[in-house]
Amino acid sequence: MGLLFLALAQAVMVAVAREVALAAAQEGLRVARARHGTRHQGHAAAQAFARREPVLQTPTVTVSGGTTLAVRVTGHAPSLLPGVHIAVARTARGARERFTTPTSPGPP
């Protein structure tokens, strides 16, 4: 019974770590794809978000792309079982915001 409880608790820790990684990636993407945002600012935002949450251990962030940006956050879930190391990785992708002006009047 005790082993079943530990396995269930470990599964919850992994699920929470995945959600934190995804939320950090989305935050980094939100910042990076904004009108005056940069990949560096997106990286910093994702890293800061991930480091505030202790359930995602050793977080690392990579930001790539040009017109379409990808923010990837990786780390490890806390281990409740000896010898178990579970890697977590999540990626958020989106187009960089671009503002244009109409070249001709639209329909009335």
Side-chain angles (χ1 to χ4, degrees), residues 15-106:
V16 171
R18 286 180 178 165
E19 289 300 315
V20 168
L22 180 58
Q26 290 171 337
E27 176 66 11
L29 180 63
R30 184 189 66 76
V31 170
R33 69 186 290 228
R35 183 173 184 192
H36 296 293
T38 65
R39 289 192 301 186
H40 177 72
Q41 290 170 333
H43 182 277
Q47 190 76 33
F49 188 101
R51 285 188 176 165
R52 281 193 305 265
E53 300 295 332
V55 74
L56 182 62
Q57 299 175 339
T58 63
T60 58
V61 176
T62 56
V63 181
S64 60
T67 56
T68 300
L69 297 169
V71 179
R72 182 171 179 81
V73 177
T74 61
H76 292 88
S79 179
L80 301 176
L81 303 172
V84 175
H85 302 285
I86 301 172
V88 173
R90 288 292 181 255
T91 304
R93 290 182 180 84
R96 184 180 297 275
E97 290 184 4
R98 227 181 53 176
F99 292 93
T100 60
T101 58
T103 56
S104 62

